[in-house]
Structure formats: structure tokens, C-alpha cells
Amino acid sequence: MSTSEHTPLYVQIADDLRTKIHQGVLRGGDRVPSENEICEQWPVSKITARKALTTLRSEGLIEGVRGKGTFVRRKAPRVRLAPQRWFRQVQADSRPTYEQEAERAGEESLASRQSHETQAAFEVAERLAIETEDPVSETHYLITMDGEPVSMSVSWEPLALTAETEIACPIEGPHASLGVIGRFDKIGMRIDEVEEALDCRMPTPEEARVLNMPRVGTPVVAIEQTWRAQGLPVCTANVVFPADRYEFRYRMEIK
């Protein structure tokens, strides 16, 4: 550890641990020294030790597990590719994209789904360009991979567009496995745009419970999605991913 008199001790400790993480001395899942162990290894106070760990936690390098300690964060094993995940599915592989992402990670996936008809709340109506309390289908999803929850979401579709069609219920009927784009293709509405807004934040208590997030300080990536066909919104959704369980990768064509 550096002995520079101008560098605060907590910064020096954080620098030392950070270097060990970047050099692979400490790897994903390895336990890092506790506050007491830092105080023993370096002659500093608990306040200084806590500030060093807080620094690394704020950088996303470490995370706490209740009752177990603090560990180096693992690299997310699943990769979400954009915009490729929104390409129209070819006949050879019409599976949902989350199944393909799980397969690439060598994992088994499972989806829990529930859908019902309801009235659009103000925010949903705004995003779908309909009136508040207009009828919509509301569908909740929970995706797990190898038994671990990796995302939860809720989506809404205007029943003015889908009622009396084979896709009125997103999780039932002959096209339920095709996803939003494939399902609307079947009723002659070609989706040609999807807009996503990403927000990195801490989980709500309900999100932490449903996604089984015991680690203190782990954020989520919340995505607001809206699909459009020739400018008309046909579906909107809120999706939440634990930030330590998915990697988001974007490869865009430059024109």
C-alpha cells in the first residue's frame, strides 16, 4: 500500500484492493477482507475501513451478502444483444430471445406468465397514445435461468387493436410463443420500431423480493420499452434486471 502522506488511508486501501481485483488476484465470487480484517491488516480505524469498502462498492466492484460478508462481483453470465434481439425471428429458430440468451450461457430457462384485462393507468395510456381507463391486456413475466430470477416485467397492449384476434391474450393462442413482433405480424401489423429507455437504480423492496436479491448495494437496470407500427404504439413494457445477472451489449450499424 502506498505511504503517501497526501493520499487518505481509505483511498490507499481501496486502491490496493482494486488493483488485486483488476489483476485477478481477487476474482469474481472471492471474499474480500471485512472491516475488522482491514483494521488488522492495515493499522486503521473501522471508519476508514468502511470508507474503503464503500468506495469499491460504489464502483460496482464488490457487493455485500447479508450474513456472509463482502465479495468481488461476478461478471454477468448472460448477454443481451441489441438490436439483434429485436430482429424478426427466422423460421429455423422462433424461440423467445430469453431462451436463446439462456442457451448461449449454457443455462436452462423458465418463464412464469400471467395475463388479464384491465384499464390503462395514466402513464400507460400516455405511452400507448390512448385514453386513461381504455381497455388493455396486462401481462406479468418472471424469467429464471438455472433457477435464478434474471428479470421481471409487465407489458400492456391496447385491446382496441387486439380484441377479437388470435393475439388478444399475449400468453395464449397459436402465436403466444412468437413474442411481440411475431404476434403482431400475424394480425397484419408490422412493428418497425422499438424504443428503450434505461435507468440504473436501486431495487424497490418488491423487486428485491421477487428477484431474490439478498446482496446489499446491487442495483437494477430498469428498461421502459415501447413498440410501434408505422408510428402507432402497439405495446409498452417495464422490465427490471438485476445488474449483476445480465450484461447489456449494443452493436449498432453506422450509416
Side-chain angles (χ1 to χ4, degrees), residues 8-84:
L9 287 173
Y10 83 90
V11 174
Q12 295 180 48
I13 295 169
D15 286 346
D16 185 70
L17 292 172
R18 186 188 301 106
T19 297
K20 290 177 179 177
I21 292 171
H22 289 329
Q23 292 181 345
V25 177
L26 289 173
R27 298 176 179 273
D30 286 351
R31 186 175 176 276
V32 300
S34 65
E35 291 179 13
N36 287 336
E37 290 167 339
I38 289 175
C39 292
E40 292 175 3
Q41 186 173 353
W42 295 281
V44 296
S45 67
K46 274 197 171 184
I47 293 176
T48 298
R50 187 174 301 123
K51 288 180 69 175
L53 293 176
T54 298
T55 298
L56 297 177
R57 190 177 292 113
S58 69
E59 295 173 6
L61 293 175
I62 64 174
E63 57 191 359
V65 181
R66 290 186 181 90
K68 294 185 178 181
T70 303
F71 301 83
V72 179
R73 285 185 63 184
R74 297 180 186 273
K75 184 177 177 63
R78 304 107 187 169
V79 178
R80 184 180 190 271
L81 293 172
Q84 286 91 333

Side-chain angles (χ1 to χ4, degrees), residues 42-151:
W42 295 281
V44 296
S45 67
K46 274 197 171 184
I47 293 176
T48 298
R50 187 174 301 123
K51 288 180 69 175
L53 293 176
T54 298
T55 298
L56 297 177
R57 190 177 292 113
S58 69
E59 295 173 6
L61 293 175
I62 64 174
E63 57 191 359
V65 181
R66 290 186 181 90
K68 294 185 178 181
T70 303
F71 301 83
V72 179
R73 285 185 63 184
R74 297 180 186 273
K75 184 177 177 63
R78 304 107 187 169
V79 178
R80 184 180 190 271
L81 293 172
Q84 286 91 333
R85 77 184 325 266
W86 300 125
F87 290 170
R88 279 183 162 76
Q89 297 162 327
V90 297
Q91 195 66 30
D93 193 352
S94 59
R95 295 171 301 160
T97 50
Y98 70 83
E99 290 187 8
Q100 299 175 47
E101 289 163 357
E103 184 178 84
R104 287 196 295 269
E107 298 180 329
E108 294 290 332
S109 63
L110 181 67
S112 171
R113 305 175 294 176
Q114 294 182 335
S115 188
H116 64 276
E117 295 184 6
T118 187
Q119 295 176 317
F122 174 78
E123 180 184 356
V124 171
E126 286 277 294
R127 287 157 58 175
L128 290 174
I130 59 178
E131 297 295 327
T132 301
E133 298 187 356
D134 275 1
V136 293
S137 62
E138 178 178 290
T139 307
H140 295 258
Y141 299 87
L142 177 64
I143 307 299
T144 62
M145 295 186 183
D146 275 8
E148 179 179 55
V150 297
S151 72

